[in-house]
Amino acid sequence: MESCKFLRLRALRAVRQSMKLQMVGQSAIQRNYHTRKGGDDAADKVRSVVDDDALLESMEKEDQMGSKNVSGSASSDPRYWRRQYNKNLTKVEEGLDQKIADRFQLSLPKVESYNDELKKDPLQRLKVNPTSLRLTLSDLIPEMSLVKAVRSHLASDQPSEFQQRFWSLMTGNLSTIGKGDQGSGRTTAVIVSALALKRNPNRGQGINSLILVKSTDLVIQYERTIKEIISHLKSAQGANSSQRVAQFLYRSDAEDELRQQTIVAHTPEPHILVSTPQRLLDLLSSRGMDFLKINNLSAIFVDDFDTMIDSDEYLESKKKAPIVQLLDYVMKLQDYRRQHNEPHPQLIFTVSNGTTSSLIEQIKEKTKWFDWARFAPLGTFDSDTNIPSRKAVPTNVAISSVLVRPYMSDKKKSAEKFKVKVYDMVPFEYGSDISNWLDKLYRSLEGNDMVYRKQRNRKKNRMSKDVKKLALDVLVGGFVKLTKKKGCSWLKQEKILMVYSDEIADSYIKKLLEKSHKAVRVFDAKEDADFFMKSEGPQILLVNTSALTGLTFKGLKNIVLLGIDTIKNLQGFVSAAGRLRGASRSGLVLEKYYTSFGEPIRPDIDIQKRIFLVNSEFDFEDIERNFLERVLIKAGLVRQFSSVGVLEPDFDKKKYNAKFVSDYGFFSSDK
């Protein structure tokens, strides 16, 4: 009898333990299907069930009383204990289910309240009207100490038009894909939004905001800007205070990467983490999400998202870009690890003003990143086949296309000794009618981006290393010749940013220019933030194409593009033109320089910033010419100017136009 009683108690204890485990599973299921306030976890629910120890004791007493009323043979019958076991199991399950039902009923009004708020049109949830005139920083930023810090950083209380609309959306806790002009203050808009975003306690521990940028140089630029802003914050003073506010991850040498990881280990939950996608993927795969606590994010910002994916195919490309792989993982992580009732984190992308509506359509179709009930786009996203609604290149910027013709001197027949002549390329005639523009943009298969890329890549693959080296010598020789022309005083008196293809080694091009007695420096993000604001020092700053995106060069007036390969597509050209900035403290481009597409250029706006595109004449055929023409049209009928003073002598304009006949039926005579 005693052994049977011992077995019965063990069985009841097992029931109790089983019910606790069952409750943990059921509470997890409830979290997936119901949004409830309070952040209770499964352990809290188990402890809150009607005193299961007391319940077990009462069951034991009941069994003991019942055993007095049955015969010894009945109490030792296994069928009796099986019935008792099932009876007690049912009792525990009923208590468990009732407790879950009671808890959900208490949370139901909060769930309904949240859903009512969510059903509002996103723009109705804004606390600030973005179209209001004279909005100041204090109208858009909730924390006054941060307002003062930003005001000190910008030396102004007036946000740019993009910042005004961007920060207005943030007051409604909305996600967005924000399309903005180059030089409109997108980086500052992202930084201030991340600094201002407070963490809801219900989210639990972890990093609050994740900012993803394309390159190491951009992370360093973010670091410089964030530290400058928080230096004006009294609350951020003291030892290691900046590390608690923001940390920065990027690929570097072993010592620097170890320093980054050490900071994360000592201060594992900064308010903001800024990283490149590749560096974050590296650390997540090697150190895991327990090291980088990004499972409870309030917001994810991706600056210049369109530059991190295929700018022509967007998400249609066969190979997933690192940023796409990372977002897929991070957004799933928010679901798997979340133990709170907050909605998904805000997801904020900024994109350049050449981005079309195809990007939003593909994100909706191919990803599960955005909560579309809390989404509002920022800017106008034209269709792929539409004339853009807005100029993408400022009207105070102009381009000079220079062709370089190498030839052998009479005295030196060696291929190593050649001379060059430079000519202005015959300028494009845009026309003043939309049918002209459509006719030139959407032509036959001889003139579209896909055919151009294939032919251009095929041509480069056929070139040997020696030929490529010689081609670069020709381009540098053409640039040196250009600087001696009377009409190019800007290249003599002012500093220059020289951009070259990623295939070209920094050291080699530096050596070529120094051989021509040019003062040259290769760009260093940590040292050259104010390069163009200084009167002393080298005249030319070198940077390759991929590193150019998003960088801010205050005071930059002249860019030299060495070869057509520095322009991969429309986005690449627009990005390059956007580096041209005034000497103002903010480094912004004034709004008045971005006008509607096709709007005549105001006569009072002079050419203040210049792009020199230098091409070898023998590497610039009709297909390259047509590519450049389409880029300049779609970028906003970009202004052209002469820098040499002598036009190319052998260009057959009639033959060129006949080669590219429209396949869409848009002609200048159409009404």
Side-chain angles (χ1 to χ4, degrees):
M1 186 68 179
E2 287 296 319
S3 61
C4 289
K5 183 176 181 180
F6 176 76
L7 291 173
R8 181 169 63 87
L9 287 173
R10 285 186 61 186
L12 292 172
R13 297 283 181 187
V15 170
R16 177 190 172 201
Q17 185 63 27
S18 174
M19 290 304 97
K20 285 188 176 183
L21 294 174
Q22 183 181 1
M23 174 53 95
V24 172
Q26 289 192 5
S27 62
I29 293 171
Q30 290 295 325
R31 280 199 307 275
N32 289 335
Y33 283 90
H34 305 293
T35 305
R36 290 170 290 128
K37 202 72 175 174
D40 302 313
D41 60 20
D44 291 334
K45 293 183 177 69
V46 172
R47 286 193 294 271
S48 66
V49 174
V50 179
D51 199 347
D52 48 7
D53 285 323
L55 179 61
L56 185 58
E57 290 178 7
S58 67
M59 289 161 53
E60 291 180 31
K61 290 179 180 179
E62 183 180 290
D63 293 338
Q64 290 172 2
M65 292 295 292
S67 65
K68 296 179 180 179
N69 300 323
V70 295
S71 64
S73 59
S75 61
S76 60
D77 188 345
R79 289 176 296 179
Y80 168 79
W81 294 113
R82 191 178 298 117
R83 286 194 299 271
Q84 292 296 99
Y85 177 89
N86 291 333
K87 177 181 176 182
N88 295 330
L89 180 63
T90 301
K91 191 179 295 186
V92 173
E93 285 180 337
E94 289 174 352
L96 188 75
D97 292 340
Q98 185 60 46
K99 196 63 180 177
I100 291 176
D102 291 344
R103 284 293 180 89
F104 182 66
Q105 287 298 325
L106 289 172
S107 300
L108 191 58
K110 299 175 184 178
V111 175
E112 290 176 342
S113 174
Y114 169 75
N115 286 335
D116 289 341
E117 180 71 17
L118 195 62
K119 289 176 183 176
K120 285 185 179 180
D121 181 88
L123 295 180
Q124 292 178 356
R125 301 167 62 190
L126 302 185
K127 298 177 182 178
V128 175
N129 182 356
T131 63
S132 299
L133 299 176
R134 300 183 181 278
L135 282 177
T136 64
L137 295 174
S138 56
D139 297 318
L140 297 162
I141 303 173
E143 185 64 41
M144 187 50 63
S145 60
L146 182 58
V147 170
K148 293 178 180 178
V150 176
R151 192 180 292 144
S152 299
H153 170 70
L154 298 177
S156 172
D157 195 39
Q158 297 297 322
S160 69
E161 182 178 315
F162 175 84
Q163 290 170 343
Q164 180 173 311
R165 290 178 290 150
F166 188 90
W167 288 331
S168 296
L169 286 180
M170 296 303 100
T171 65
N173 194 37
L174 299 177
S175 294
T176 189
I177 298 176
K179 182 177 176 180
D181 300 320
Q182 302 293 314
S184 59
R186 290 182 295 176
T187 296
T188 302
V190 167
I191 289 172
V192 172
S193 296
L195 287 170
L197 188 62
K198 294 184 178 180
R199 186 176 193 82
N200 190 312
N202 289 339
R203 284 195 181 275
Q205 300 296 313
I207 296 166
N208 193 48
S209 293
L210 175 63
I211 300 178
L212 300 169
V213 297
K214 181 182 180 182
S215 66
T216 290
D217 291 339
L218 275 177
V219 175
I220 294 171
Q221 181 172 286
Y222 260 82
E223 182 176 13
R224 184 170 57 249
T225 304
I226 290 175
K227 287 184 176 179
E228 182 178 337
I229 292 175
I230 65 177
S231 69
H232 299 290
L233 283 171
K234 293 182 179 179
S235 59
Q237 304 303 316
N240 299 325
S241 59
S242 65
Q243 295 174 6
R244 292 194 297 271
V245 175
Q247 292 180 27
F248 309 90
L249 298 174
Y250 51 88
R251 283 178 174 170
S252 184
D253 55 59
E255 183 179 352
D256 197 14
E257 290 187 357
L258 179 60
R259 178 190 61 81
Q260 296 169 24
Q261 294 185 57
T262 302
I263 293 173
V264 173
H266 289 166
T267 313
E269 296 175 2
H271 188 67
I272 299 170
L273 179 67
V274 185
S275 178
T276 62
Q278 295 88 344
R279 178 66 169 141
L280 202 59
L281 284 170
D282 289 346
L283 284 175
L284 285 171
S285 62
S286 62
R287 301 297 299 271
M289 57 191 174
D290 289 330
F291 180 71
L292 290 172
K293 302 182 184 303
I294 56 171
N295 57 300
N296 288 324
L297 293 167
S298 297
I300 301 171
F301 299 86
V302 186
D303 201 3
D304 286 310
F305 173 76
D306 55 320
T307 68
M308 301 186 201
I309 56 177
D310 189 303
S311 56
D312 298 302
E313 298 183 1
Y314 294 143
L315 302 183
E316 295 284 0
S317 57
K318 296 179 180 179
K319 185 178 179 181
K320 278 189 178 182
I323 184 62
V324 177
Q325 298 176 39
L326 180 63
L327 287 174
D328 282 344
Y329 173 77
V330 171
M331 295 310 296
K332 287 179 181 177
L333 185 61
Q334 307 310 302
D335 286 334
Y336 293 154
R337 294 293 298 271
R338 254 183 334 141
Q339 295 184 4
H340 51 75
N341 303 314
E342 289 297 301
H344 279 198
Q346 282 179 270
L347 194 55
I348 299 103
F349 291 175
T350 68
V351 294
S352 63
N353 42 15
T355 308
T356 67
S357 58
S358 292
L359 178 63
I360 298 180
E361 293 166 2
Q362 289 185 29
I363 290 175
K364 284 184 175 180
E365 178 183 348
K366 297 180 178 297
T367 75
K368 296 181 180 180
W369 299 339
F370 282 91
D371 178 356
W372 297 103
R374 297 193 305 137
F375 175 85
L378 195 164
T380 303
F381 290 83
D382 305 296
S383 170
D384 289 342
T385 56
N386 285 351
I387 290 292
S389 58
R390 188 174 173 88
K391 292 184 178 180
V393 171
T395 54
N396 65 339
V397 173
I399 184 171
S400 175
S401 299
V402 178
L403 296 179
V404 183
R405 176 178 293 180
Y407 68 96
M408 300 301 172
S409 65
D410 294 335
K411 296 180 180 179
K412 301 288 184 180
K413 299 299 182 181
S414 171
E416 297 294 327
K417 302 293 182 180
F418 62 87
K419 291 187 176 182
V420 297
K421 294 181 180 180
V422 291
Y423 302 97
D424 286 319
M425 189 187 76
V426 173
F428 300 114
E429 296 177 1
Y430 300 134
S432 59
D433 188 87
I434 189 172
S435 59
N436 291 79
W437 308 328
L438 289 170
D439 177 50
K440 292 178 179 180
L441 288 177
Y442 306 111
R443 295 182 170 183
S444 67
L445 290 179
E446 282 294 323
N448 64 56
D449 289 348
M450 184 177 296
V451 171
Y452 168 73
R453 289 198 305 274
K454 288 182 178 179
Q455 291 196 17
R456 186 68 196 165
N457 290 336
R458 193 180 301 123
K459 183 187 294 187
K460 289 194 298 181
N461 290 335
R462 288 199 300 260
M463 294 171 64
S464 66
K465 289 184 179 180
D466 290 338
V467 172
K468 289 180 180 178
K469 181 180 177 181
L470 183 60
L472 181 59
D473 292 345
V474 170
L475 292 178
V476 172
F479 164 72
V480 174
K481 186 83 171 182
L482 187 63
T483 60
K484 298 176 181 179
K485 294 293 180 179
K486 292 182 179 179
C488 292
S489 58
W490 313 285
L491 297 182
K492 301 174 186 177
Q493 301 168 4
E494 300 172 346
K495 293 196 173 189
I496 304 163
L497 180 69
M498 181 173 285
V499 184
Y500 47 92
S501 169
D502 297 336
E503 300 171 354
I504 300 172
D506 299 336
S507 58
Y508 184 70
I509 193 166
K510 184 174 184 288
K511 180 180 178 181
L512 283 179
L513 288 165
E514 287 176 338
K515 190 182 294 186
S516 300
H517 308 291
K518 299 295 182 183
V520 183
R521 175 177 172 81
V522 177
F523 174 69
D524 184 329
K526 295 182 178 179
E527 303 291 336
D528 297 320
D530 298 321
F531 179 89
F532 297 97
M533 301 290 287
K534 300 174 182 177
S535 57
E536 72 283 357
Q539 184 194 16
I540 302 174
L541 186 65
L542 300 175
V543 64
N544 61 37
T545 306
S546 61
L548 189 65
T549 303
L551 295 176
T552 299
F553 297 103
K554 297 177 185 177
L556 174 60
K557 297 180 181 179
N558 303 286
I559 294 179
V560 174
L561 304 176
L562 279 186
I564 194 67
D565 289 327
T566 57
I567 306 173
K568 301 293 185 182
N569 44 40
L570 168 66
Q571 179 195 74
F573 177 72
V574 170
S575 178
R579 301 315 100 208
L580 295 160
R581 305 293 176 88
S584 66
R585 185 170 177 178
S586 66
L588 300 180
V589 178
L590 297 180
E591 182 69 23
K592 69 177 182 179
Y593 295 132
Y594 289 103
T595 58
S596 299
F597 191 96
E599 181 180 314
I601 297 173
R602 288 167 37 187
D604 61 320
I605 296 181
D606 297 326
I607 296 174
Q608 300 166 358
K609 313 286 192 304
R610 295 167 180 83
I611 299 173
F612 299 85
L613 175 60
V614 182
N615 281 297
S616 170
E617 188 177 51
F618 300 113
D619 190 30
F620 195 81
E621 299 175 303
D622 286 346
I623 191 75
E624 284 83 13
R625 190 184 297 263
N626 177 256
F627 165 73
L628 180 60
E629 181 180 19
R630 287 182 289 109
V631 164
L632 297 186
I633 290 174
K634 206 154 190 177
L637 308 173
V638 180
R639 299 173 75 173
Q640 303 169 78
F641 73 97
S642 169
S643 56
V644 180
V646 180
L647 285 177
E648 55 180 317
D650 304 322
F651 175 58
D652 189 336
K653 186 175 181 180
K654 185 176 181 180
K655 181 180 177 182
Y656 168 75
N657 287 331
K659 187 173 183 179
F660 300 98
V661 178
S662 172
D663 197 31
Y664 284 75
F666 298 118
F667 298 98
S668 57
S669 59
D670 292 345
K671 300 297 181 183

